[in-house]
Amino acid sequence: MSDEEWAFFEPFVIERGPRRGRRPRDHRLVLDGVFWIARTGSPWRDLHDHFGKWSSVYRQFRRWTLSGVWDVLLAALNDSGEGRDSVQMIDSTIVRAHQHSAGAKKADAQDEGLGRSRGGFSTKIHLRANGLGLPVAVVLTGGEVSDVNGYAPVMAEPGPAPKVLLGDKGYDADAILADLEAKGIAAVIPPRRNRKVQPVIDGHLYALRNLVERCFSKLKHSRRLATRYDKTADSYLGFILIASTRLWVRHFVNRT
């Protein structure tokens, strides 16, 4: 990672206060190892020796994940007020799950965001993005879960509330439209063909919905996201949040 990226991540990943136990490793190198796994999609055991022992890097990744570091990072970026939050987009994408992602201990497939869809064994990522095409909130479900059922969980996630929400026809449901109206959020969602009354939507505003699709495309540059290899939902979601945070940081770095 660049020095600018490390300057952002450092306060969140380095523990402060009294030191207990062993001296901490070089957290920048460990975090680089986590980024390398996310980008290449390689198994943990194939981690290059340059980053240290793979098991140590993996354990640190799990500690950061279970402590909620990645959630805090994304929340801090959303709270920065730099995301053009008044207009947001919602969408989902199905990710094929590798056979090695099955079999988490003491959990069934639904608990780990795995299911069966027309694409086979899969996970669905539900995403809310802001007016810059940057992630606001992410939720995992099994691949068979519809966009309608994924709407409430992703809208309930912490993050700035939109004034306008863009979505495709998969979100054209009476319950969703009623919920948005009750919250004072304008819905720009094209109607399904079977609606008797076909409302007119703002085509120029709806064209911005491509930002969430482009966001998915950028996230899937990280091959650990494009195919799910992780058995647990928290590890897979951790990689998604890492990739999301890096999109934010690169936006700030490139802007300056």
Side-chain angles (χ1 to χ4, degrees):
M1 78 185 87
S2 66
D3 291 340
E4 292 83 2
E5 278 190 282
W6 175 240
F8 171 77
F9 282 103
E10 183 180 10
F12 295 93
V13 301
I14 293 188
E15 299 177 0
R16 305 297 182 186
R19 180 169 59 86
R20 297 179 296 274
R22 296 181 180 178
R23 292 181 60 84
R25 289 177 52 82
D26 182 347
H27 284 316
R28 179 171 182 172
L29 189 61
V30 172
L31 191 58
D32 267 331
V34 174
F35 290 169
W36 187 87
I37 291 289
R39 182 66 180 85
T40 64
S42 300
W44 282 104
R45 293 176 185 273
D46 291 346
L47 182 67
H48 198 280
D49 292 341
H50 167 74
F51 302 107
K53 191 175 180 181
W54 74 266
S55 57
S56 298
V57 178
Y58 168 73
R59 283 195 297 269
Q60 184 61 63
F61 164 75
R62 287 292 292 170
R63 282 193 290 267
W64 283 331
T65 299
L66 296 178
S67 66
V69 167
W70 317 127
D71 303 271
V72 172
L73 283 166
L74 187 59
L77 290 165
N78 277 306
D79 290 342
S80 68
E82 299 291 333
R84 299 181 186 176
D85 303 313
S86 59
V87 177
Q88 295 183 13
M89 308 91 199
I90 188 172
D91 204 356
S92 67
T93 186
I94 291 179
V95 175
R96 187 68 179 267
H98 193 273
Q99 60 184 0
H100 292 167
S101 64
K105 295 180 180 179
K106 298 181 180 180
D108 58 32
Q110 290 184 342
D111 292 336
E112 300 300 345
L114 293 165
R116 299 282 177 180
S117 64
R118 285 184 293 180
F121 193 44
S122 58
T123 289
K124 181 174 279 191
I125 303 173
H126 302 267
L127 175 69
R128 186 154 52 99
N130 60 29
L132 296 173
L134 298 171
V136 173
V138 184
V139 168
L140 297 182
T141 65
E144 79 285 356
V145 176
S146 68
D147 289 346
V148 172
N149 291 331
Y151 162 82
V154 76
M155 292 298 292
E157 284 291 297
K163 295 181 180 178
V164 179
L165 186 70
L166 314 181
D168 60 20
K169 292 182 180 180
Y171 296 95
D172 178 31
D174 292 337
I176 291 178
L177 297 177
D179 181 66
L180 291 173
E181 183 177 4
K183 294 176 178 176
I185 301 174
V188 182
I189 300 174
R192 298 176 187 266
R193 292 183 179 180
N194 59 358
R195 278 202 178 271
K196 294 182 179 179
V197 178
Q198 296 281 311
V200 178
I201 66 168
D202 187 329
H204 294 287
L205 191 57
Y206 183 72
L208 294 176
R209 200 186 68 81
N210 78 92
L211 290 171
V212 70
E213 296 175 346
R214 287 156 61 184
C215 181
F216 275 129
S217 177
K218 292 174 183 176
L219 289 175
K220 289 184 178 180
H221 288 175
S222 297
R223 300 184 68 183
R224 192 82 183 195
L225 275 63
T227 301
R228 175 172 172 176
Y229 299 100
D230 297 281
K231 292 181 183 294
T232 62
D234 49 23
S235 284
Y236 184 58
L237 182 59
F239 281 117
I240 297 173
L241 294 176
I242 288 169
S244 299
T245 302
R246 297 198 79 187
L247 290 182
W248 271 90
V249 173
R250 287 170 182 169
H251 166 75
F252 285 120
V253 171
N254 291 338
R255 191 181 63 175
T256 57

